[in-house]
Amino acid sequence: DARPLVAILWMVATTLLFAATNIVVHAQGDSVPVVQAVFIRMVCGLILVLPGLIEIARNRYPRDAWTMFGLRGIAQTAGMVLWFFAMARTPMADVTAIGYLTPIVVTVGGALLLGEGFSWRRGAAIGVALVGALVILRPGLREILPGHVAELGAALAFGLSYLGVKRLSRHASANAIVAMMTLMAAVILAPWALAVWQPVSLSQVLWLGLTAVLATGGQLTMTKALASAPVSVTQPVVFTQLIWVALAG
């Protein structure tokens, strides 16, 4: 059953947790190579999602669920690497604002791929959001930094990932969905992280561990929100994250 109010509350919690993640990552900068930082965050996250991994081992999922697990894991991993790169090198408000292209991808994808409908109001909102992204970037009037381009790629990857979450919610619990994403990201990133590995201090590991706690919590609340209502209900709430990030900035 769709529970719009419950979904909205879960999504508000998601924006707070993701905003806190943004703050921690931005504060740490690029002291650790991006791929290595994301890998350490995923390894720390595996401890937090252990119940979900046990659930996956005990359940049998249909083939299309496993396919979606894989596609979602690849999209989320790509998005996280691009996002870490952007957040460490670009003003936090810019990254957050450009990241609002993600709800657009999710809303359009929900209409085209999940059959959730698409009204003229949603189309108008998407148009306004695209204009807003151009206002932020101001192509031709300001320098487009590599972080801006990376965040555009992250927004697209995260949008595809969240559509995968919505589809997976038919087959698996929030714990299982987040656990599989964390495991896949750790496996995918392992060889790349080892190739660029450099010594890290205990302080750096603890900060990345905090990132894992905040981001994993945000993934869980987001998954619960997407499972509780259509994406057109949950995505507008994402824009409240700009309030928290702007205040922190």
Side-chain angles (χ1 to χ4, degrees), residues 142-212:
R142 63 174 291 189
E143 181 184 4
I144 302 299
L145 302 173
H148 291 133
V149 178
E151 180 55 25
L152 286 171
L156 175 60
F158 283 146
L160 295 174
S161 173
Y162 296 166
L163 289 171
V165 170
K166 182 64 177 178
R167 180 65 64 87
L168 281 168
S169 65
R170 303 174 184 176
H171 304 289
S173 69
N175 286 340
I177 293 172
V178 175
M180 180 58 75
M181 180 275 294
T182 306
L183 177 62
M184 281 201 63
V187 172
I188 292 171
L189 291 172
W192 305 99
L194 292 175
V196 298
W197 194 270
Q198 67 180 36
V200 291
S201 66
L202 176 60
S203 174
Q204 289 171 320
V205 173
L206 290 176
W207 278 112
L208 288 169
L210 176 59
T211 301

Side-chain angles (χ1 to χ4, degrees), residues 42 45-46 48-59 61 65-74 76-77 80 161 165 168 172-188 216 219-220 223:
M42 289 296 127
L46 285 174
L48 302 173
V49 300
L50 185 58
L53 294 174
I54 295 173
E55 180 181 335
I56 291 170
R58 291 177 175 176
N59 284 277
Y61 300 106
W66 285 109
T67 301
M68 193 56 62
F69 273 132
L71 293 175
R72 194 262 165 147
I74 293 171
Q76 184 70 19
T77 302
M80 283 188 294
S161 173
V165 170
L168 281 168
S173 69
N175 286 340
I177 293 172
V178 175
M180 180 58 75
M181 180 275 294
T182 306
L183 177 62
M184 281 201 63
V187 172
I188 292 171
T216 301
Q219 288 288 331
L220 285 170
T223 302

Side-chain angles (χ1 to χ4, degrees), residues 102-112 117-118 122 126 163 231-232 235-236:
T102 295
I104 299 172
V105 175
V106 175
T107 302
V108 173
L112 298 179
F118 190 83
R122 294 178 190 173
I126 288 172
L163 289 171
V231 293
S232 58
Q235 293 311 294

Side-chain angles (χ1 to χ4, degrees), residues 95-122:
V95 173
T96 303
I98 297 170
Y100 286 145
L101 292 173
T102 295
I104 299 172
V105 175
V106 175
T107 302
V108 173
L112 298 179
L113 303 178
L114 304 178
E116 293 191 353
F118 190 83
S119 67
W120 69 268
R121 292 182 180 85
R122 294 178 190 173

